[in-house]
Tab-separated table of all heavy atoms in Angstrom:
chain	number	residue	atom	x	y	z
A	384	ASP	N	41.712	3.192	-52.638
A	384	ASP	CA	40.800	2.130	-52.382
A	384	ASP	C	39.957	1.790	-53.556
A	384	ASP	O	38.980	1.052	-53.415
A	384	ASP	CB	39.977	2.518	-51.145
A	384	ASP	CG	38.964	3.603	-51.494
A	384	ASP	OD1	39.138	4.213	-52.544
A	384	ASP	OD2	38.070	3.889	-50.702
A	385	SER	N	40.284	2.211	-54.722
A	385	SER	CA	39.382	1.993	-55.874
A	385	SER	C	39.351	0.519	-56.247
A	385	SER	O	40.285	-0.168	-56.135
A	385	SER	CB	39.981	2.766	-57.081
A	385	SER	OG	39.215	2.620	-58.212
A	386	VAL	N	38.159	0.115	-56.671
A	386	VAL	CA	37.872	-1.255	-57.223
A	386	VAL	C	37.770	-1.018	-58.756
A	386	VAL	O	36.913	-0.292	-59.201
A	386	VAL	CB	36.695	-1.874	-56.670
A	386	VAL	CG1	36.438	-3.241	-57.418
A	386	VAL	CG2	36.768	-2.069	-55.174
A	387	VAL	N	38.687	-1.589	-59.462
A	387	VAL	CA	38.697	-1.450	-60.885
A	387	VAL	C	38.237	-2.839	-61.541
A	387	VAL	O	38.812	-3.869	-61.231
A	387	VAL	CB	40.084	-1.039	-61.454
A	387	VAL	CG1	40.099	-0.947	-62.990
A	387	VAL	CG2	40.484	0.316	-60.843
A	388	ILE	N	37.318	-2.728	-62.396
A	388	ILE	CA	36.702	-3.955	-63.012
A	388	ILE	C	36.914	-3.862	-64.512
A	388	ILE	O	36.605	-2.872	-65.160
A	388	ILE	CB	35.205	-4.047	-62.725
A	388	ILE	CG1	34.928	-4.040	-61.230
A	388	ILE	CG2	34.546	-5.298	-63.393
A	388	ILE	CD1	33.579	-3.541	-60.838
A	389	GLY	N	37.411	-4.903	-65.118
A	389	GLY	CA	37.657	-4.951	-66.601
A	389	GLY	C	36.623	-5.905	-67.226
A	389	GLY	O	36.498	-7.059	-66.800
A	390	ASP	N	35.941	-5.372	-68.219
A	390	ASP	CA	35.028	-6.226	-69.029
A	390	ASP	C	35.194	-5.886	-70.499
A	390	ASP	O	34.444	-4.949	-70.938
A	390	ASP	CB	33.610	-6.041	-68.539
A	390	ASP	CG	32.558	-7.038	-69.176
A	390	ASP	OD1	33.047	-7.958	-69.829
A	390	ASP	OD2	31.349	-6.901	-68.979
A	391	GLY	N	36.066	-6.454	-71.130
A	391	GLY	CA	36.317	-6.084	-72.567
A	391	GLY	C	37.535	-6.856	-73.051
A	391	GLY	O	38.259	-7.503	-72.320
A	392	GLY	N	37.865	-6.603	-74.329
A	392	GLY	CA	39.023	-7.228	-74.891
A	392	GLY	C	40.253	-6.333	-74.996
A	392	GLY	O	40.964	-6.102	-74.000
A	393	ASP	N	40.414	-5.666	-76.210
A	393	ASP	CA	41.558	-4.822	-76.364
A	393	ASP	C	41.583	-3.588	-75.329
A	393	ASP	O	42.645	-3.384	-74.759
A	393	ASP	CB	41.525	-4.211	-77.716
A	393	ASP	CG	42.648	-4.698	-78.593
A	393	ASP	OD1	43.106	-5.855	-78.434
A	393	ASP	OD2	43.167	-3.933	-79.418
A	394	PHE	N	40.422	-3.020	-75.115
A	394	PHE	CA	40.442	-1.879	-74.232
A	394	PHE	C	40.904	-2.238	-72.822
A	394	PHE	O	41.573	-1.475	-72.194
A	394	PHE	CB	39.008	-1.200	-74.198
A	394	PHE	CG	38.914	-0.008	-73.302
A	394	PHE	CD1	39.722	1.104	-73.482
A	394	PHE	CD2	38.001	-0.019	-72.240
A	394	PHE	CE1	39.608	2.184	-72.639
A	394	PHE	CE2	37.895	1.063	-71.432
A	394	PHE	CZ	38.682	2.207	-71.619
A	395	VAL	N	40.464	-3.370	-72.296
A	395	VAL	CA	40.819	-3.736	-70.950
A	395	VAL	C	42.263	-4.306	-70.954
A	395	VAL	O	42.902	-4.294	-69.924
A	395	VAL	CB	39.783	-4.850	-70.479
A	395	VAL	CG1	40.252	-5.381	-69.134
A	395	VAL	CG2	38.425	-4.229	-70.324
A	396	SER	N	42.734	-4.829	-72.090
A	396	SER	CA	44.197	-5.141	-72.079
A	396	SER	C	45.085	-3.929	-71.774
A	396	SER	O	46.119	-4.010	-71.146
A	396	SER	CB	44.556	-5.717	-73.519
A	396	SER	OG	43.848	-6.879	-73.713
A	397	PHE	N	44.679	-2.735	-72.284
A	397	PHE	CA	45.416	-1.589	-71.954
A	397	PHE	C	45.402	-1.275	-70.439
A	397	PHE	O	46.456	-0.856	-69.878
A	397	PHE	CB	44.964	-0.289	-72.721
A	397	PHE	CG	45.287	-0.250	-74.130
A	397	PHE	CD1	44.482	-0.686	-75.162
A	397	PHE	CD2	46.552	0.154	-74.509
A	397	PHE	CE1	44.825	-0.617	-76.543
A	397	PHE	CE2	46.930	0.259	-75.844
A	397	PHE	CZ	46.101	-0.153	-76.862
A	398	ALA	N	44.295	-1.588	-69.810
A	398	ALA	CA	44.152	-1.378	-68.429
A	398	ALA	C	45.182	-2.238	-67.669
A	398	ALA	O	45.785	-1.791	-66.630
A	398	ALA	CB	42.763	-1.715	-67.912
A	399	GLY	N	45.356	-3.547	-68.090
A	399	GLY	CA	46.328	-4.396	-67.512
A	399	GLY	C	47.722	-3.826	-67.565
A	399	GLY	O	48.612	-4.092	-66.673
A	400	LYS	N	48.010	-3.036	-68.566
A	400	LYS	CA	49.324	-2.465	-68.743
A	400	LYS	C	49.566	-1.194	-67.875
A	400	LYS	O	50.582	-0.976	-67.321
A	400	LYS	CB	49.539	-2.069	-70.246
A	400	LYS	CG	50.860	-1.458	-70.557
A	400	LYS	CD	50.980	-1.225	-72.081
A	400	LYS	CE	52.272	-0.596	-72.482
A	400	LYS	NZ	53.393	-1.456	-72.265
A	401	TYR	N	48.534	-0.391	-67.778
A	401	TYR	CA	48.717	0.912	-67.185
A	401	TYR	C	48.136	1.086	-65.764
A	401	TYR	O	48.549	1.979	-65.048
A	401	TYR	CB	48.060	1.970	-68.070
A	401	TYR	CG	48.645	2.163	-69.448
A	401	TYR	CD1	47.907	1.993	-70.582
A	401	TYR	CD2	49.988	2.356	-69.551
A	401	TYR	CE1	48.422	2.073	-71.829
A	401	TYR	CE2	50.575	2.427	-70.822
A	401	TYR	CZ	49.831	2.317	-71.999
A	401	TYR	OH	50.403	2.424	-73.164
A	402	VAL	N	47.199	0.241	-65.384
A	402	VAL	CA	46.611	0.362	-64.015
A	402	VAL	C	47.346	-0.514	-63.043
A	402	VAL	O	47.402	-1.757	-63.265
A	402	VAL	CB	45.084	-0.014	-63.985
A	402	VAL	CG1	44.538	0.107	-62.561
A	402	VAL	CG2	44.346	0.955	-64.978
A	403	GLU	N	47.999	0.069	-62.031
A	403	GLU	CA	48.713	-0.677	-61.053
A	403	GLU	C	48.030	-0.394	-59.688
A	403	GLU	O	48.343	0.654	-59.052
A	403	GLU	CB	50.192	-0.328	-60.963
A	403	GLU	CG	50.893	-0.761	-62.197
A	403	GLU	CD	52.432	-0.624	-62.039
A	403	GLU	OE1	52.843	0.173	-61.150
A	403	GLU	OE2	53.176	-1.198	-62.881
A	404	PRO	N	47.123	-1.256	-59.167
A	404	PRO	CA	46.396	-0.953	-57.909
A	404	PRO	C	47.342	-0.704	-56.748
A	404	PRO	O	48.437	-1.338	-56.709
A	404	PRO	CB	45.560	-2.256	-57.726
A	404	PRO	CG	45.452	-2.846	-59.085
A	404	PRO	CD	46.736	-2.524	-59.753
A	405	GLN	N	46.855	0.031	-55.821
A	405	GLN	CA	47.689	0.390	-54.653
A	405	GLN	C	47.378	-0.586	-53.508
A	405	GLN	O	48.146	-0.652	-52.525
A	405	GLN	CB	47.407	1.805	-54.144
A	405	GLN	CG	47.862	2.916	-55.139
A	405	GLN	CD	49.324	2.797	-55.391
A	405	GLN	OE1	50.095	2.860	-54.406
A	405	GLN	NE2	49.766	2.750	-56.633
A	406	ARG	N	46.270	-1.251	-53.584
A	406	ARG	CA	45.832	-2.188	-52.507
A	406	ARG	C	45.408	-3.507	-53.065
A	406	ARG	O	44.885	-3.575	-54.184
A	406	ARG	CB	44.750	-1.601	-51.613
A	406	ARG	CG	45.049	-0.302	-50.948
A	406	ARG	CD	43.856	0.182	-50.123
A	406	ARG	NE	44.116	1.494	-49.552
A	406	ARG	CZ	43.236	2.190	-48.849
A	406	ARG	NH1	41.984	1.633	-48.603
A	406	ARG	NH2	43.523	3.365	-48.382
A	407	PRO	N	45.545	-4.612	-52.328
A	407	PRO	CA	45.064	-5.870	-52.815
A	407	PRO	C	43.534	-5.970	-52.752
A	407	PRO	O	42.870	-5.210	-52.045
A	407	PRO	CB	45.675	-6.892	-51.857
A	407	PRO	CG	45.901	-6.161	-50.597
A	407	PRO	CD	46.241	-4.705	-50.951
Side-chain angles (χ1 to χ4, degrees):
D384 69 349
S385 182
V386 179
V387 178
I388 302 156
D390 188 9
D393 245 37
F394 179 58
V395 173
S396 296
F397 282 100
K400 180 178 178 68
Y401 296 124
V402 177
E403 292 188 343
Q405 293 299 309
R406 298 181 187 177

